[in-house]
């Protein structure tokens, strides 16, 4: 509810101004800015500009009761706001006694005015303690940088087998997937697709074969496959959707699989950096806490003649991207839902199980590698993407029901041990 417009010169009423000093924490900043926009009847962008200018006067003059009501509502939303009677000052700056205090230093708690105030992500400091804070932050950044170099080295050479081993020997682990929908040119058809696919197809819990599936159903599908492969009753997967956001450009190319060169590390850093920047720019830093982030870019048309799964996106450990055509789908909706599942699997550490010619590898790309004769395969392996009718003949399944997690992919996820799959893939090397 917006506050009524008030004539600042109206006589006979004690008046006050409402000043925004900051926010209780960065965790509440996004929702607090939305509340400012609502209460002041302004756009979110205008409210954001005001928030970035804090301390700032939100309401220059209003009856005291109206100002106090606005300050109270802002405080309930996570803002640090004051209703200050005009002509009266309750606190003065320790350094500039003639200036009204805007905040207290987080370290020494002295009163500071806007000339002294130093702001670091909602934390206010006097000049002296801000310099100390910056020095500590620099030391932390150096430590983080060194740790990051070490982490990149470990990620490039050792992460997959170590994480696989850790997941297998931990009796229960959760996998949280965050799906972020974006578009470079949003339109009504894309918004409709987003609304449909961010919700499960049915309200009943569990995976339901035979239904027309949505991307939100992928959590239930992974849980179904986990239970089938491991014979465990746990449901470790959950999926949360975010969006619909506008972007200017898609992510840079992912590094080629197995590339451990300096150039490959640079490409990985650029790829991960794109996702981290996207999350930060859309105020999702404190909301997205996920093992896998899947970016779903909705387009009218991919510009490709055949929309092969392996050409629709990219993935590097923990991050994945897929482009889905909304206005010109060449295949069933379930095919593109399965393609999203394919890139989630790749981001979880599954290898691409297609040959250079685009056929499922034999036997690691087959859903049933022990089947004799091996062809035709009854289903498609999710990391291969296609059902093998013959060794060099493939089909696109029209439903998510026809995809499974094969034994090797299950091992790569950390679901099962190497001992269980050694006999199935005698020529494979296990790490």
């Amino acid at each position: 509810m917006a506050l009524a417009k008030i004539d600042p010169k109206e006589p006979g009423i004690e008046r006050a101004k409402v000043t925004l000093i900051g926010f209780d924490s960065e965790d509440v900043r996004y929702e607090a800015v939305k509340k400012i926009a609502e209460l002041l009847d302004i756009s979110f962008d205008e409210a954001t500009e005001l928030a970035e200018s804090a301390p700032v006067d939100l309401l220059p003059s209003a009856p005291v009761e109206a100002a106090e009501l606005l300050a109270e509502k802002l405080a309930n939303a996570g803002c640090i706001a004051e209703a200050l009677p005009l002509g009266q000052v309750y606190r003065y700056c320790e350094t500039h006694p003639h200036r009204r205090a805007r905040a207290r230093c987080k370290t020494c708690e002295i009163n500071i005015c806007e000339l002294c105030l130093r702001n670091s992500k909602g934390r206010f400091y006097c000049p002296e303690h801000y310099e100390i804070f910056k020095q500590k932050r620099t030391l932390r950044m150096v430590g983080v940088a060194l740790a990051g170099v070490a982490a990149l080295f470990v990620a490039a050479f050792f992460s997959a087998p170590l994480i696989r081993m850790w997941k297998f020997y931990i009796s229960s682990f959760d996998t949280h997937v965050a799906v972020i929908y974006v578009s470079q040119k949003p339109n009504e058809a894309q918004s409709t697709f987003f609304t449909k696919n961010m919700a499960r197809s049915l309200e009943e819990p569990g995976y339901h074969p035979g239904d027309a599936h949505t991307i939100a159903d992928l959590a239930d599908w992974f849980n179904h496959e986990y239970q089938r492969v491991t014979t465990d009753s746990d449901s470790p997967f959950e999926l949360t959707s975010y969006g619909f956001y506008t972007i200017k450009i898609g992510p840079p190319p992912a590094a080629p699989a197995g590339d451990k060169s300096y150039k490959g590390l640079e490409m990985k850093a650029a790829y991960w950096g794109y996702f981290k920047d996207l999350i930060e720019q859309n105020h999702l830093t404190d909301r997205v806490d996920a093992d896998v982030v899947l970016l779903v870019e909705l387009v009218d048309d991919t510009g490709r003649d055949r929309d092969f799964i392996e050409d629709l996106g990219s993935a590097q450990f923990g991050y994945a991207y897929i482009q889905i055509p909304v206005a010109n789908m060449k295949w069933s909706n379930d095919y593109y839902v399965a393609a999203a599942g394919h890139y989630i699997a790749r981001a979880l550490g599954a290898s691409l199980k297609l040959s250079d010619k685009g056929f499922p590898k034999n036997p690691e790309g087959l859903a049933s590698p022990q089947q004799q004769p091996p062809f035709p395969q009854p289903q498609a392996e999710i990391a291969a993407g296609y059902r093998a009718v013959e060794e060099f003949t493939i089909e696109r399944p029209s439903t998510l029901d026809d995809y499974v997690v094969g034994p090797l992919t299950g091992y790569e996820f950390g679901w099962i041990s190497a001992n269980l799959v050694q006999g199935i893939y005698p020529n494979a090397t296990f790490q």
Side-chain angles (χ1 to χ4, degrees):
M1 179 183 71
L3 292 179
K5 305 295 183 181
I6 299 172
D7 182 1
K9 298 180 180 179
E10 182 180 347
I13 299 177
E14 186 178 357
R15 313 192 69 77
K17 61 195 276 186
V18 178
T19 300
L20 173 68
I21 299 173
F23 301 92
D24 290 339
S25 70
E26 282 301 297
D27 294 343
V28 302
R29 185 184 184 96
Y30 177 75
E31 293 299 329
V33 171
K34 286 175 60 179
K35 194 65 176 179
I36 292 172
E38 175 190 340
L39 291 172
L40 298 183
D41 196 17
I42 59 178
S43 69
F44 180 81
D45 289 340
E46 291 173 315
T48 300
E49 289 181 6
L50 283 173
E52 291 173 351
S53 302
V56 64
D57 292 334
L58 297 181
L59 196 63
S61 177
V64 169
E65 290 184 0
E68 290 177 344
L69 176 60
L70 175 59
E72 181 182 357
K73 289 183 176 182
L74 290 171
N76 292 337
C79 299
I80 302 173
E82 289 184 323
L84 301 173
L86 293 177
Q88 299 182 31
V89 179
Y90 290 111
R91 297 198 303 267
Y92 292 89
C93 177
E94 298 280 343
T95 306
H96 305 94
H98 63 288
R99 303 190 69 90
R100 184 167 65 246
R102 295 295 190 177
R104 288 179 180 270
C105 173
K106 180 176 175 59
T107 302
C108 65
E109 297 189 347
I110 67 168
N111 294 325
I112 46 181
C113 67
E114 66 271 14
L115 297 179
C116 300
L117 187 148
R118 303 293 185 269
N119 187 352
S120 176
K121 296 184 177 180
R123 299 183 182 93
F124 303 113
Y125 297 91
C126 66
E128 177 186 354
H129 287 105
Y130 182 69
E131 291 302 317
I132 296 173
F133 165 76
K134 284 200 305 182
Q135 292 171 9
K136 291 181 178 179
R137 183 176 60 184
T138 301
L139 291 174
R140 285 197 300 270
M141 289 175 65
V142 171
V144 169
L146 293 175
V149 172
L152 281 175
F153 179 80
V154 171
F157 295 95
F158 304 111
S159 64
L162 288 176
I163 291 174
R164 202 153 45 228
M165 184 184 304
W166 174 78
K167 284 186 173 181
F168 178 71
Y169 285 108
I170 296 295
S171 58
S172 177
F173 60 90
D174 294 330
T175 301
H176 184 195
V177 178
V179 178
I180 303 176
Y181 292 85
V182 298
S183 173
Q184 296 186 40
K185 296 180 179 179
N187 55 44
E188 184 176 351
Q190 294 174 11
S191 298
T192 301
F193 181 92
F194 159 68
T195 303
K196 173 184 175 183
N197 277 270
M198 75 177 298
R200 294 176 62 251
S201 56
L202 287 178
E203 291 301 321
E204 294 86 347
Y207 181 72
H208 300 277
D211 300 325
H213 303 98
T214 68
I215 290 176
D217 290 328
L218 284 170
D220 288 335
W221 180 86
F222 274 104
N223 284 325
H224 175 269
E225 287 302 293
Y226 173 82
Q227 293 162 5
R228 182 186 65 81
V229 171
T230 66
T231 68
D232 194 331
S233 61
D234 285 347
S235 297
F237 275 79
E238 64 174 290
L239 184 149
T240 306
S241 298
Y242 301 89
F244 185 38
Y245 301 108
T246 301
I247 59 173
K248 294 182 179 179
I249 191 171
D259 187 349
K260 297 180 175 62
S261 66
Y262 178 76
K263 180 64 175 178
L265 291 177
E266 277 190 326
M267 292 179 70
K268 287 180 181 179
Y271 193 78
W272 295 341
Y274 174 91
F275 284 83
K276 293 183 183 299
D277 289 345
L278 178 79
I279 289 170
E280 181 178 341
Q281 290 164 9
N282 288 287
H283 309 286
L284 293 171
T285 304
D286 299 319
R287 300 169 63 193
V288 175
D289 181 17
D291 303 287
V292 169
V293 175
L294 172 66
L295 187 68
V296 178
E297 182 180 0
L298 304 183
V299 297
D300 291 333
D301 193 305
T302 63
R304 302 176 183 86
D305 292 336
R306 291 171 288 189
D307 280 353
F308 288 152
I309 276 182
E310 65 272 27
D311 295 331
L312 288 174
S314 58
Q316 285 182 354
F317 200 78
Y319 295 96
Y321 162 78
I322 183 174
Q323 211 177 50
I324 296 182
V326 173
N328 188 21
M329 280 192 172
K330 298 178 174 63
W331 310 99
S332 69
N333 187 79
D334 261 35
Y335 172 77
Y336 294 99
V337 171
H342 171 90
Y343 285 101
I344 291 174
R346 298 268 298 279
L348 283 169
S351 58
L352 177 63
K353 295 174 177 61
L354 291 175
S355 68
D356 294 340
K357 301 296 183 182
F359 298 103
K361 294 179 179 178
N362 185 2
E364 54 264 49
L366 303 181
S368 301
Q370 293 177 300
Q371 174 183 300
Q372 293 299 329
F375 305 103
Q377 284 284 305
Q379 293 170 302
E381 212 280 347
I382 191 68
Y386 305 104
R387 187 174 77 87
V389 180
E390 295 291 345
E391 186 161 10
F392 300 111
T393 305
I394 58 175
E395 286 183 348
R396 287 178 176 83
S398 59
T399 171
L400 184 60
D401 303 333
D402 284 346
Y403 288 87
V404 298
V405 171
L408 185 54
T409 296
Y411 163 73
E412 291 170 336
F413 286 169
W415 290 0
I416 54 178
S417 69
N419 292 335
L420 294 177
V421 291
Q422 282 281 13
I424 303 175
Y425 308 102
N427 297 323
T429 300
F430 297 91
Q431 297 179 331

